[in-house]
């Protein structure tokens, strides 16, 4: 077996988000988030699961961090719950909410684990959704306001920030397909939300610089693989449309200050309203791009396939099956995505901020899972990442999704992504 050498400065970590692990949904002044409302509404999450208690990380945080320490994870990427800090989305911050993250940071640093902090991982205050949410331009200022409170409280210790995690998911699963909170099915709102997510990213980066905070700030995109199902022109065109919606719609504005015109021509009246100066704000330099990669799909033309007229089918590289999410496994896809960004967007500084898989874990009588398939998955993707570095991509770190099994959005507690198993009835963590 060959050993792969990564650059000396390459960083390694594990990731999680606030709503997926914290629980304590209505404690210490936390406000209702769109995910609370969504999960409390029947038929929105499989088996009626919700994250009210979840892993109870809010109360077990020191033990959880001690476990991370035991495993020697050098970095921990965690999310901040917007509605814990700004219960109604506006006005004064909830100091008890900020206290929690303050303690979490102290605990991490005490254990020698470096923090990487995400400001938005899909849990907007419901009070803002009641006023139109991400489709309302005012929310971009509310987000920057929230960010400023967080920077002020934690900016002395956190030097590695992300504004949004996967704005495509927040915009399109939240506002077009309704699969995620707030559960709206309206492409016009989805495109408007995408524009406002980018705009609030820009406003936040600007504020971070103006107020003189130190460290790196960037955006995290989910860039999964897309391959045409055949070389027929209709399949190639469908692939291009899906690629434009998931990749160019976000990469072009942040790196080039423009939207993909071909996509906008195709979606016609669903185009977002853009004000003068928006594109400059969105395009201002950020320090890095975070890339989340899990899987690859084959794309074919399908007249019944929604606005894009496209159908996606999971693709697995030869010899690989599918994960518990029914996602195809394609380790080369990670390499392709990293090189695609390098080649088309001026070789920005990159981190792989999420990669991992849900596997049908079978515990033994002690609750222990022999994680062969997860190890195999991660190893192969690291191989692809390593090749991308050798071919010149400026990749600086890798974060596994996820440190613990956790609430997997509309699928509830079914799929298990954790490096550590969680027994959901006892909440016992099993490394
Ligand atoms: C994402 C999110 C995570 C998910 C993970 C598995 O990338 O979708 O950041 O919250 O849980 O990706 O679906």
């Amino acid at each position: 077996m060959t050993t792969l050498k990564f650059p000396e400065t390459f960083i390694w970590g594990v990731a999680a988000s606030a709503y997926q692990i914290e629980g304590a949904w209505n404690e210490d002044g936390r406000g209702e988030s769109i995910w609370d409302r969504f999960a409390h509404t029947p038929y929105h999450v499989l088996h009626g699961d919700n994250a009210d208690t979840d892993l109870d990380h809010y109360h077990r945080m020191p033990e959880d961090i001690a476990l991370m320490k035991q495993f020697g994870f050098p970095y921990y990427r965690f999310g901040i719950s917007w509605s814990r800090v700004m219960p109604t989305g506006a006005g004064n911050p909830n100091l008890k909410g900020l206290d929690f993250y303050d303690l979490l940071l102290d605990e991490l640093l005490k254990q020698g684990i470096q923090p990487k902090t995400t400001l938005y991982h899909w849990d907007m205050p419901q009070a803002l959704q009641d006023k139109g949410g991400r489709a309302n331009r005012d929310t971009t200022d509310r987000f920057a306001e929230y960010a400023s409170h967080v920077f002020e409280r934690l900016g002395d210790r956190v030097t590695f920030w992300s504004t949004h995690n996967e704005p495509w998911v927040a915009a399109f699963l939240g506002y077009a397909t309704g699969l995620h909170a707030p559960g709206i099915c309206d492409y016009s709102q989805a495109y408007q939300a995408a524009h406002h997510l980018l705009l609030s990213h820009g406003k936040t980066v600007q504020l971070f610089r103006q107020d003189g905070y130190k460290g790196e700030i960037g955006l995290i995109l989910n860039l999964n693989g897309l391959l045409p199902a055949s070389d027929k022109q209709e399949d190639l065109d469908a692939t291009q449309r899906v690629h434009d919606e998931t990749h160019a719609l976000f990469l072009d504005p942040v790196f080039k200050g423009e939207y993909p015109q071909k996509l906008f021509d195709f979606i016609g009246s669903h185009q977002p309203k853009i004000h003068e100066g928006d594109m400059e704000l969105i395009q201002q330099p950020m320090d890095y791009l975070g890339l989340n990669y899990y899987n690859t799909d084959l794309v074919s033309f399908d007249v019944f396939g929604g606005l894009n007229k496209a159908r996606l089918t999971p693709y697995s590289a030869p010899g690989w099956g599918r994960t518990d999410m029914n996602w195809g496994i394609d380790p080369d896809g990670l390499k392709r995505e990293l090189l695609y960004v390098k080649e088309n967007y001026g070789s920005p500084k990159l981190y792989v901020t999420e990669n991992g898989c849900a596997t049908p874990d079978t515990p033994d009588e002690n609750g222990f899972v022999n994680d062969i398939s997860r190890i195999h998955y991660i190893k192969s993707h690291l191989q692809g990442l390593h090749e991308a570095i050798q071919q010149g991509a400026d990749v600086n770190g890798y974060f596994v999704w996820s440190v613990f099994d956790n609430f997997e959005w509309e699928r509830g507690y079914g799929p298990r992504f954790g490096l550590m198993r969680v027994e959901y009835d006892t909440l016992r963590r099993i490394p």
Side-chain angles (χ1 to χ4, degrees):
M1 199 187 73
T2 41
T3 307
L4 303 179
K5 271 207 157 54
F6 286 79
E8 285 288 321
T9 51
F10 195 86
I11 66 172
W12 302 91
V14 284
S17 82
Y19 186 71
Q20 291 178 276
I21 64 170
E22 283 180 2
W25 79 285
N26 57 3
E27 287 181 45
D28 292 338
R30 182 184 176 285
E32 185 190 24
S33 80
I34 53 173
W35 262 96
D36 299 318
R37 177 72 63 93
F38 187 77
H40 290 159
T41 310
Y43 305 117
H44 282 53
V45 176
L46 280 179
H47 314 299
D49 290 348
N50 61 54
D52 292 1
T53 309
D54 210 321
L55 308 194
D56 198 28
H57 173 71
Y58 188 74
H59 296 117
R60 298 167 194 232
M61 179 271 288
E63 297 96 277
D64 284 346
I65 291 175
L67 270 172
M68 294 181 206
K69 162 78 177 173
Q70 189 185 320
F71 280 84
F73 302 135
Y75 273 79
Y76 173 42
R77 179 187 155 215
F78 66 94
I80 299 209
S81 154
W82 186 353
S83 63
R84 209 178 274 295
V85 176
M86 305 297 286
T88 60
N92 292 328
N94 170 32
L95 296 182
K96 283 195 169 160
L98 283 166
D99 287 348
F100 171 69
Y101 298 106
D102 209 300
L103 286 175
L104 165 59
L105 262 183
D106 285 346
E107 199 62 37
L108 280 175
L109 295 173
K110 194 170 91 192
Q111 300 282 15
I113 301 171
Q114 296 306 311
K116 168 159 189 13
T117 308
T118 308
L119 288 164
Y120 191 61
H121 206 125
W122 313 345
D123 51 353
M124 181 173 57
Q126 178 63 38
L128 293 180
Q129 183 52 41
D130 295 342
K131 297 180 186 143
R134 291 291 187 178
N136 177 358
R137 192 174 170 95
D138 182 61
T139 300
T140 62
D141 290 324
R142 301 288 74 76
F143 183 77
E145 203 170 86
Y146 148 67
S148 76
H149 292 300
V150 176
F151 290 153
E152 195 180 306
R153 186 69 181 270
L154 310 180
D156 58 333
R157 284 153 294 158
V158 177
T159 54
F160 197 3
W161 297 93
S162 322
T163 54
H164 300 302
N165 176 71
E166 305 191 352
W168 178 84
V169 171
F172 286 87
L173 300 192
Y175 292 87
T177 65
L179 198 62
H180 278 197
I184 289 169
C185 301
D186 172 353
Y187 278 102
S188 296
Q189 287 196 49
Y191 273 96
Q192 195 61 59
H195 179 64
H196 288 159
L197 280 152
L198 288 164
L199 187 61
S200 60
H201 157 79
K203 288 183 178 180
T204 305
V205 174
Q206 184 182 58
L207 184 132
F208 183 80
R209 308 262 189 247
Q210 274 171 0
D211 292 352
Y213 290 103
K214 301 221 162 42
E216 296 182 23
I217 189 162
L219 176 69
I220 295 179
L221 300 179
N222 53 312
L223 302 181
N224 284 323
L226 297 166
L227 296 171
S230 80
D231 54 13
K232 276 195 263 169
Q233 196 56 45
E234 59 186 29
D235 290 341
L236 297 174
D237 288 345
T239 310
Q240 188 61 50
R241 286 194 294 276
V242 177
H243 198 271
D244 281 351
E245 183 199 277
T246 55
H247 288 56
L249 181 66
F250 300 92
L251 288 164
D252 284 8
V254 292
F255 289 112
K256 301 179 175 166
E258 62 191 29
Y259 279 116
Q261 193 51 47
K262 237 177 129 179
L263 176 73
F264 275 19
D265 292 344
F266 188 80
I267 63 169
S269 64
H270 294 299
Q271 288 178 46
K273 288 184 195 59
I274 302 166
H275 292 197
E276 221 188 297
D278 284 2
M279 301 315 287
E280 287 73 23
L281 253 177
I282 293 172
Q283 193 202 353
Q284 72 193 282
M286 55 180 184
D287 299 302
Y288 72 91
L289 178 78
L291 198 146
N292 294 352
Y293 173 86
Y294 288 92
N295 59 319
T296 294
D297 284 308
L298 293 177
V299 188
S300 49
F301 165 64
D302 183 351
V303 81
F304 302 105
L307 183 61
N308 285 332
K309 306 285 176 207
R311 180 211 303 263
L312 272 63
T313 324
Y315 167 80
S316 297
W320 290 93
R322 293 187 185 179
T323 73
D324 227 18
M325 301 283 281
N326 197 28
W327 289 349
I329 303 178
D330 175 27
D332 253 13
L334 174 59
K335 176 172 83 180
R336 283 198 311 271
E337 291 301 315
L338 291 165
L339 291 174
Y340 174 81
V341 174
K342 164 190 153 8
E343 274 147 30
N344 293 281
Y345 296 96
S347 195
K349 180 171 191 180
L350 299 171
Y351 293 94
V352 173
T353 34
E354 279 179 35
N355 175 241
C357 61
T359 50
D361 301 342
T362 317
D364 67 14
E365 64 279 10
N366 301 314
F368 177 77
V369 175
N370 194 3
D371 248 351
I372 297 296
S373 2
R374 183 170 287 108
I375 291 169
H376 196 35
Y377 176 101
I378 291 175
K379 213 185 225 173
S380 310
H381 285 75
L382 284 175
Q383 226 141 14
L385 191 161
H386 190 260
E387 284 168 25
I389 294 179
Q390 286 182 316
Q391 292 177 32
D394 184 15
V395 194
N396 294 272
Y398 175 86
F399 292 78
V400 176
W401 185 273
S402 181
V403 55
F404 301 112
D405 291 337
N406 60 45
F407 179 83
E408 180 53 29
W409 308 111
E410 77 282 9
R411 290 173 166 94
Y413 294 101
R416 290 175 176 273
F417 275 87
L419 294 185
M420 294 194 233
R421 182 176 177 83
V422 176
E423 261 176 17
Y424 290 122
D425 46 353
T426 61
L427 293 185
R428 187 158 73 105
R429 278 76 159 141
I430 305 155

